[in-house]
Amino acid sequence: MSQYGHPHYPQGQAAPPYPQPSAPGGGLPYPQAPGLPYPVAPGQPAYPGYTPYPQYGYSSASYPGQPNHQSPSRGQAPYPAPGQAPYPASGQAPYPAPGQASFPAAGQTRPPAPGQAPNPASGQAPYPATGQAPYPASGQAPYPAPGQTPYPAAGQAPYPAPGNVSQGLGPYPPQTQPQGQGPYPAPGQSAYPPQGQTQGQANYQPRGPAPYPGQGQTLVQGYPGPPGSTNSTMAAGAAGVNRPGADQFKSRVEIQLECKNLLNKDLLSKSDPCAVLYMMRGGRWEEYGRTENIKNNLNPKFNKTFVINYFFEEVQKLLIAVYDIDNATPQLTDDDFLGQLETTLGQLVSNTPFTAKLFLKNGRPAGQGTITIRTEEIKEGTESTLLTFRASKLDKKDFFGKSDPYLEIHRAALDGSWQMVHKTEVIKNNLNPSWRPFQLSLQKLCGGNRLQKIKIDCYDWDNDGSHDFIGTCTTTFEEMSRAATQEVTWPCINPASKAKKKSYTNSGTIHLTSCKIVKEYTFLDFVTSGMQINFTVGIDFTASNGNPSQSTSLHYINPHSPNEYMAAIKTVGEVCQDYDSDKLFPALGFGARIPPKMEISHEFALNFNLQNPYCQGIDGILQAYYNCIQQVQLYGPTNAAPIIHHVARFAAQAQREEGSKGAHAYFILLMLTDGVLSDMSNTKSAIVEASKLPMSLIIVGVGQADFSDMEILDGDDGVLRAANGEPAKRDIVQFVPFRDFKHSSPVELARHVLAEVPKQVTDYYKMRGLQPMAKPT
């Protein structure tokens, strides 16, 4: 449902995406009007004043400054007649006459080159004629004739008979045809079951039938498996990304890493390691994720884990590489390489914990470095716990000040080791700290077993990475849950101090002040209960994109292939549109001078009607973009904050309505830009404000610019802060350069930029304490 339904933007006034040929500005699918790069009619000039391809002997005002110039006929310069240089006549070198040289006459075989065997005619060995084995004729198995199963004849369902497209005879109905007429059925008809009807009823088939096969079944032709899988089963669950039908039979595995005896690449301190996980896709390694960066530590235990879909029937190749990160750049080419290990997910799950040597890229051991990988199947649960800790009278560990304490929460692993599941923030210079509340699923905290041992370690943080151990305690979630009614405390014990001093009691006290059980809801819980995704596009029209009339411009309209802006809009939009009921999408632009006064604007509608900026479907957005690029003047600067504020206003309105409507609306802004933003400070502030709202921001970098500064907006490497220091409430930004996916399947781009959206949705409603809306009975 579109966000412009309140009085500011009347609902349902979107113009059809494809104007009729008689409408001002064009016809299907590209408008044709004087001055545009497509001629009005054959033989008429494409650009006012000249015709680039004159007809032979045709007289027209073709060339500026030469009215009534006679276009040359064939044989006149610059068009020579056949046989004149540089075009030889038929039979002259290098073009032989039929039957000569390399072009044999009909029925003759091509003469072989010297030393080569002759080329046999069709039907002669080794090439059998059509209908002979191994190539059956049409109608012979395994290729049925048209009309035979499984390929219906033209006119049979589901393929309508040929007809005039504009009359709606097939396969696409006219633009005026209402929903419910073929081939687009109304809700409840054909492929779309009535609201409330569950999957597996009526026209929604249960898992298994085409085009979504069951586990182990191969896909029908036209539905390829994911990159890196065999060709292929639907099962391929690379990178934890959900695929159609896959949720019903996938297993998910959590991976945790720790290293020992890493190479030391720093002269005055120790290495600052970060582990990077790669997955094999389409025959090449693609980065899946990175752990946190741990300072000054050759024996790191990484807190950040990876969750991967696991499929028994597929070899899922993994590569884990460890780097010494000493700068803020996202690329790894300028960081020191500490070693790597190539393995498979099957090997890891069957040998956990799995310990192996790290190797250099030349295959030699990376010193004494080793890596230990622990895997555990995630058993889906619906509960998590919200915990609030404090401590009192902790030991003083710093000579010139008090301790800087933080907590590490560990759970007992199956092999008897301790696995870290959470690390709190550091409280500076305080022996009586109170840490921020944090939430963990019961699966992660204790494997769903409330009697499983849990260890709480307290450390004094030091800048050089040599954190001082203060003390520890052990408990269970069963005991922790008592904090739901009253505070629970444990003595913080340092075994070394206890062994030295007979009078030792403890190194302080750890208090669990609150423990609340929270029911977890999934993204699909909110979607199936009626939450709508409102999709908006924002496009950069600044001059740095280049003159749109030139092929070097990022806004150049190539009739044979979409530019990067169009490709990104189509790829991301086609996913988002499935979650919007009316398919009306606002499309906005920034950084251009717009008609009628040609004034600079950083917040204008592509149809130049800001009160009604709707486009019908993704094709409607592309049509509006095409029309807009013909009329605006690219200008600048590259200010993104106005459009973020624009969408945030509607997200704020939806938030105010949550009291009566519940979790009913979420907003996604897809912003496409060719360079670094001019208003970075204002953009950060706008994002921090938007992080409080039901809103996500996807930024796609177009072109070859240096986007390293844009990575700052993506909160993966730390909490984004506004100019006044206010932190973002949650991470709502995903940034990707389009060039990284230019030669990949469009599906890969959509998976990458939208992978974080479901969690962003659930995190928002969790922050607001909202449950999915009650489903209608």
Side-chain angles (χ1 to χ4, degrees), residues 674-698:
D674 78 319
V676 177
L677 304 179
S678 305
D679 62 340
M680 184 63 78
S681 178
N682 290 339
T683 297
K684 289 181 181 179
S685 298
I687 292 172
V688 169
E689 287 300 313
S691 70
K692 308 170 186 175
L693 304 171
M695 178 176 169
S696 291
L697 173 60
I698 297 169

Side-chain angles (χ1 to χ4, degrees), residues 89-92 95-109 111:
S90 175
Q92 296 180 352
Y95 303 111
Q100 296 179 350
S102 61
F103 298 101
Q108 295 181 352
T109 59

